[in-house]
Amino acid sequence: MILWTVFGYLLGSIPFGLVIARALDLGDLRTIGSGNIGATNVLRTGNKGAALATLLLDSGKGAIAVLAARHLSGDTAAVLAGGAAFLGHCFPVWLGFKGGKGVATFLGTLIALHWPLGLIACGVWLLTALVSRISSLSALLAAALSPVFAWGLGRTDLIAVSLFMAVLIFLRHRPNIARLLDGTEPRIGKKG
């Protein structure tokens, strides 16, 4: 279990957004827009392809951690590896523990742990994004509702990891929450 936790954390720590932005000469994401290393901030560079690649890779690292651990060591290892991948994205060792907000990794982890739960969380994010055009609000609602949906789907074994990720997402979004409350949170796609 310790090995899967370390594996998940190290995989989650790979800052794909930063790597992609540097490879495409888009600049240092930490000095653009929100300063975040995730897909939403990559989108602020104006490069939709880079943002999509970041989204897929950041969600993929959570999913790969879960699927590899489940295949080789079972469901408990999968939950630990997925939670650790999410933690690694938020606090990557390679960047002095200053990482992203974890939304894509959260969604990828949930999809791999229990695809109906993951798809519901994605649906909440997408519906909220379509209505509000605010990524942070979409993420906060999807995260807050994920433990409730885990319970509703009868997956009580996933409530703790869903709650863990939701709490961290809220903590990582504190500045966004303040901007949401005062009406200054930027819309999706706004260049930074």
Side-chain angles (χ1 to χ4, degrees):
M1 296 303 146
I2 291 171
L3 289 176
W4 284 117
T5 302
V6 171
F7 168 77
Y9 174 80
L10 292 176
L11 181 60
S13 290
I14 301 170
F16 285 116
L18 196 62
V19 171
I20 290 168
R22 283 191 181 164
L24 296 177
D25 201 27
L26 301 175
D28 186 341
L29 285 180
R30 295 169 293 184
T31 63
I32 297 169
S34 66
N36 187 27
I37 62 168
T40 301
N41 206 41
V42 174
L43 186 59
R44 291 188 180 108
T45 68
N47 191 317
K48 293 178 182 176
L52 178 61
T54 301
L55 175 68
L56 294 174
L57 289 168
D58 281 351
S59 60
K61 62 190 179 185
I64 288 169
V66 168
L67 296 174
R70 179 185 290 138
H71 178 71
L72 296 171
S73 298
D75 288 337
T76 301
V79 170
L80 290 172
F86 172 79
L87 187 66
H89 179 81
C90 294
F91 304 101
V93 65
W94 322 117
L95 299 178
F97 305 101
K98 295 176 183 173
K101 295 180 181 174
V103 179
T105 307
F106 156 76
L107 293 172
T109 298
L110 284 187
I111 289 170
L113 285 171
H114 185 63
W115 67 264
L117 175 59
L119 290 184
I120 290 170
C122 288
V124 170
W125 188 98
L126 185 60
L127 182 61
T128 307
L130 288 172
V131 171
S132 71
R133 303 286 300 157
I134 301 175
S135 180
S136 60
L137 179 61
S138 306
L140 291 166
L141 282 176
L145 292 174
S146 65
V148 176
F149 287 125
W151 174 79
L153 291 168
R155 292 302 305 260
T156 55
D157 57 319
L158 300 180
I159 291 174
V161 71
S162 298
L163 187 59
F164 165 72
M165 292 189 288
V167 167
L168 258 183
I169 285 173
F170 269 77
L171 290 173
R172 301 293 291 165
H173 279 81
R174 285 176 306 206
N176 304 82
I177 293 168
R179 288 191 299 269
L180 283 167
L181 292 173
D182 69 19
T184 60
E185 182 71 343
R187 306 276 173 177
I188 294 172
K190 180 180 176 186
K191 279 188 154 189

